[in-house]
Amino acid sequence: MRQFQFGYKGQDALVRELRKIRQWSRTKIYSRMVFQVFIDIIDREAVEKVMDTIKDEIPDALIFGCSTNGHIINGELSGRTIAITCTVFEYPTSRVQILQYDLNEENESRVTSELLRFLDDNTWVTAIELLVTIRGMSMTGFSDRFRAARRDIAIYGGGAFNRDMNDDEACVFSSVGGYTDHGVVFVLMGGDDLHVETTYITGWKPLGRELEITKVKRNVLYEIENRPAYDTYYRYLNIENDENFFSNTLEFPFVFNHNGIQLLRAPTVSLDDGALVMTSDMYEGDMARISYGDPETILREVAREIKALNRFSPEVIKLYSCGARRTFWGSEVSRETAPFQLLAPASGFFTSGEFLRTKEHLNQHNVTLVVGALREGDVIEQKEMPSMEGYGMEFSGRVSMVNRLATFIQAATEELAAANRQLEMVAISDGLTRLYNRMEIQRRITERVNRFSDETEEGISTKPVSLIMMDVDDFKKVNDTYGHAEGDQVLIRLAEMLKRTIDVHAPGSVAGRWGGEEFMVMLPGFDLDMAAGIAEIMRKSFTEIGFDHCEHQTMSLGVAEAVSGEDPDILCMRVDDALYKAKKQGKNQVVRG
């Protein structure tokens, strides 16, 4: 595999570059020649002129490209309005084909269905590079449908963009479908000797506590923890809702887990009602955190990924970097892209969104650098890792100030969260037995029984719920004869037995201390017969416990199953009546209520 890269300097210069490539190819054997064209202005005439020139000089070439927020040539931000790469696939087994479709929210299902059918019929495809116009369009449905594609197909690419980040206009184009401002281009690659490795780099790290996304519609984030989303930025970062909102929040996108990986989403606009327009869709119920960007942290991640890619021995590297990263770095943007040139010719562009498939999920990223590495043939000899000296990747070992402050804040946040969890447990736990206290077990019974009643009334079949209530027989005699310390041991050992029995025989059930020597167990999914069986196991297990002074003790148990529409308090009274009968009938037994 070979790649040529150059900036556009006019038609005459383009023809000279193309003729150099054509002359080189006459002495070589190759299977496909693929040109990628980047343009950072919306100019259909200029695009078509470049494509026509390439076709005239190299008729069998495939061509594709898009508009960008800037493009990367030889690892560096290109200063040219148009830039061009030519990738030559040299192995005869390598295959490349381009498909192009018009794309909008009305036809995305048909487009993905057609592509998936093509993949089913063409098992040679092992990688897809995609370019797509996405501004103003939700890509969630489009991305989700790729779960049906074969797991061995790598997919990566980016959203077409515009020199002006506030302008939604963008375009994609190819030699098979021409120019369009609402479309997608798929470059399908495969063959026994073609290998593709993908990865992604964020470098942004979570900061502070998790926040629940409580109201969102596609990429408009309305509420976080039931408050206007903008409040989060004002409360934690003191960022005003003014003309500088975008630039001030750029270093602090949200990070959240989705499809098993971390995704970033940055706000672009704060609306008057406090809603935030995000760079891509977010999802209600997800837990998000503000993250921060630190140059040294980012570069360390770049260095780590470059070392990992070196083992792959790439021959060509494709870079799809978010336009927000270009803004973040400013004039130093090439610091994170130039080092890839050490491994292989590196090209790409600054996107409106990055796409990368992880396992079966095609995820839309933001504020992320997606990397696609290509190679033909096997690695014959592992290359020595090139020196990164001169690329700004020499680290002193000192941790940056922002990194240290963030680590401090994160540690303090985690300690506070742990303390709060401990306080919550104290509030709902019995101090002696460590089971739930009366208030908490009663709350859980009420919640579960009410849900059972509601679901049943709606005609939906649901699992039953039963209660076991127990009381240590003649417990006052233990305290009076052997002291309260021995009595406490009886209750503690009983609680331990309940936990063990639940773990083994009734997972998902909960136990609590009802008061004094009385205990309650709630068993979701257990009917009366099943609950009575568990109660008998508990009764027998308790009789087998030997205590230091009072030797063996017994307990009486009542069992009751909830009835549709029954008030939880009535259910508790019924199980209490069953326990009373067990006591009255001689103790050390289970009675059904």
Side-chain angles (χ1 to χ4, degrees):
M1 184 178 289
R2 176 75 180 268
Q3 190 175 76
F4 303 89
Q5 305 180 28
F6 52 92
Y8 178 79
K9 303 176 183 177
Q11 282 298 107
D12 291 343
L14 174 59
V15 170
R16 287 195 297 272
E17 293 289 350
L18 294 172
R19 288 178 179 175
K20 288 179 188 177
I21 294 171
R22 189 175 65 189
Q23 183 176 354
W24 173 89
S25 68
R26 286 172 178 164
T27 62
K28 307 291 180 181
I29 297 174
Y30 66 94
S31 57
R32 264 302 183 185
M33 196 174 288
V34 182
F35 285 84
Q36 185 168 6
V37 179
F38 310 99
I39 182 167
D40 66 4
I41 57 173
I42 307 300
D43 190 333
R44 180 172 188 155
E45 183 178 345
V47 167
E48 292 177 344
K49 189 174 183 180
V50 168
M51 287 205 296
D52 288 343
T53 303
I54 295 172
K55 290 176 188 176
D56 289 343
E57 296 297 326
I58 307 176
D60 62 344
L62 293 176
I63 309 167
F64 74 107
C66 67
S67 58
T68 78
N69 186 243
H71 23 268
I72 301 161
I73 294 294
N74 294 316
E76 303 271 355
L77 175 65
S78 168
R80 298 288 174 178
T81 297
I82 302 174
I84 300 165
T85 69
C86 172
T87 303
V88 182
F89 294 81
E90 298 180 288
Y91 276 58
T93 55
S94 296
R95 298 178 64 177
V96 185
Q97 185 170 340
I98 293 178
L99 299 177
Q100 180 173 328
Y101 302 92
D102 286 340
L103 184 68
N104 52 54
E105 290 188 349
E106 286 69 39
N107 75 349
E108 64 177 13
S109 177
R110 177 181 59 80
V111 168
T112 49
S113 295
E114 286 186 22
L115 179 65
L116 290 170
R117 281 195 296 271
F118 182 92
L119 296 177
D120 288 340
D121 295 337
N122 294 270
T123 56
W124 60 268
V125 178
T126 56
I128 302 174
E129 184 173 359
L130 69 88
L131 304 179
V132 59
T133 56
I134 66 176
R135 297 303 291 271
M137 176 178 171
S138 170
M139 299 301 293
T140 298
F142 174 86
S143 300
D144 286 348
R145 293 184 182 92
F146 280 90
R147 285 200 301 267
R150 294 196 321 272
R151 289 283 292 268
D152 65 321
I153 298 178
I155 306 175
Y156 62 94
F161 213 176
N162 192 304
R163 179 186 291 175
D164 181 357
M165 294 183 72
N166 296 311
D167 192 338
D168 284 350
E169 191 175 4
C171 66
V172 296
F173 45 85
S174 75
S175 51
V176 301
Y179 178 103
T180 178
D181 59 4
H182 55 279
V184 58
V185 174
F186 298 106
V187 182
L188 312 175
M189 297 169 283
D192 294 340
D193 298 299
L194 180 64
H195 305 278
V196 177
E197 183 90 1
T198 60
T199 188
Y200 71 101
I201 295 163
T202 62
W204 267 251
K205 298 180 67 175
L207 185 66
R209 70 182 184 91
E210 286 189 324
L211 307 165
E212 184 180 1
I213 298 171
T214 50
K215 186 178 180 181
V216 64
K217 184 176 181 181
R218 292 176 36 179
N219 69 322
V220 181
L221 178 57
Y222 290 96
E223 293 181 0
I224 297 174
E225 300 198 326
N226 300 308
R227 298 176 61 179
Y230 161 75
D231 288 0
T232 300
Y233 279 102
Y234 184 76
R235 179 182 179 187
Y236 291 107
L237 300 170
N238 196 31
I239 293 176
E240 298 282 354
N241 188 3
D242 56 22
E243 67 276 7
N244 298 312
F245 178 80
F246 173 70
S247 58
N248 285 333
T249 58
L250 189 60
E251 294 180 47
F252 303 98
F254 286 110
V255 59
F256 64 102
N257 288 317
H258 190 68
N259 290 335
I261 64 171
Q262 281 195 339
L263 298 178
L264 294 176
R265 294 289 186 266
T268 58
V269 176
S270 179
L271 304 179
D272 291 341
D273 62 358
L276 301 178
V277 179
M278 310 302 291
T279 42
S280 299
D281 290 4
M282 298 186 75
Y283 311 94
E284 205 162 287
D286 279 344
M287 303 299 292
R289 295 162 73 182
I290 291 175
S291 65
Y292 75 99
D294 170 51
E296 185 164 315
T297 302
I298 296 168
L299 293 178
R300 285 182 185 277
E301 190 169 330
V302 169
R304 184 170 62 249
E305 291 300 330
I306 286 176
K307 289 178 181 178
L309 281 177
N310 185 59
R311 293 191 289 271
F312 175 74
S313 294
E315 294 177 311
V316 165
I317 292 177
K318 298 292 188 78
L319 302 175
Y320 292 90
S321 183
C322 184
R325 293 179 83 92
R326 179 183 177 185
T327 303
F328 172 81
W329 282 104
S331 62
E332 296 186 308
V333 65
S334 297
R335 288 186 66 188
E336 69 171 0
T337 57
F340 288 94
Q341 186 72 15
L342 293 168
L343 302 183
S347 62
F349 70 96
F350 292 95
T351 75
S352 60
E354 308 76 58
F355 294 87
L356 181 63
R357 194 181 195 199
T358 304
K359 295 182 179 178
E360 74 272 22
H361 299 288
L362 178 62
N363 293 294
Q364 182 181 358
H365 292 261
N366 293 121
V367 201
T368 299
L369 173 58
V370 163
V371 183
L374 288 74
R375 185 191 75 241
E376 288 182 296
D378 297 328
V379 178
I380 305 301
E381 183 177 349
Q382 182 64 60
K383 295 179 181 178
E384 183 178 345
M385 180 64 204
S387 171
M388 296 188 188
E389 187 175 351
Y391 282 85
M393 311 293 270
E394 304 84 20
F395 304 110
S396 65
R398 289 173 55 87
V399 180
S400 67
M401 177 63 73
V402 67
N403 203 327
R404 280 178 279 166
L405 287 173
T407 301
F408 170 78
I409 293 169
Q410 185 60 30
T413 301
E414 290 173 357
E415 289 174 1
L416 180 60
N420 286 336
R421 286 193 298 270
Q422 188 172 2
L423 287 173
E424 289 172 4
M425 285 306 300
V426 168
I428 64 175
S429 298
D430 173 62
L432 178 66
T433 64
R434 303 301 184 205
L435 298 179
Y436 289 125
N437 58 26
R438 168 78 175 259
M439 184 173 64
E440 180 63 15
I441 188 68
Q442 194 162 23
R443 184 191 68 79
R444 288 172 177 256
I445 291 170
T446 300
E447 183 182 83
R448 181 63 180 83
V449 172
N450 282 339
R451 189 166 74 246
F452 167 72
S453 300
D454 292 343
E455 291 173 347
T456 305
E457 287 169 4
E458 293 172 5
I460 301 172
S461 175
T462 186
K463 292 182 178 180
V465 57
S466 296
L467 299 182
I468 300 173
M469 190 173 186
M470 64 207 73
D471 180 275
V472 179
D473 296 329
D474 303 314
F475 183 68
K476 185 176 184 300
K477 187 182 296 184
V478 174
N479 280 333
D480 291 345
T481 305
Y482 303 102
H484 287 280
E486 183 74 354
D488 287 350
Q489 283 303 306
V490 171
L491 300 181
I492 291 169
R493 299 284 296 280
L494 169 55
E496 292 172 349
M497 180 276 293
L498 293 179
K499 292 176 185 175
R500 289 195 302 270
T501 305
I502 286 172
D503 286 344
V504 175
H505 300 285
S509 300
V510 292
R513 187 178 180 187
W514 199 249
E517 66 272 24
E518 289 185 334
F519 293 79
M520 184 78 83
V521 176
M522 180 180 68
L523 301 99
F526 284 70
D527 62 21
L528 186 62
D529 289 340
M530 298 165 66
I534 298 297
E536 181 57 29
I537 292 172
M538 292 173 175
R539 185 200 66 77
K540 187 173 184 298
S541 297
F542 184 63
T543 64
E544 295 172 352
I545 299 173
F547 298 100
D548 291 342
H549 303 292
C550 64
E551 298 182 349
H552 296 276
Q553 297 295 310
T554 64
M555 65 178 178
S556 303
L557 304 93
V559 183
E561 178 184 349
V563 176
S564 175
E566 183 175 33
D567 186 278
D569 290 338
I570 300 299
L571 174 62
C572 291
M573 290 174 61
R574 287 201 297 113
V575 76
D576 185 59
D577 288 343
L579 171 59
Y580 176 77
K581 289 177 183 177
K583 290 281 191 183
K584 191 174 181 180
Q585 292 173 189
K587 305 177 183 178
N588 191 24
Q589 59 185 279
V590 176
V591 172
R592 305 179 185 210

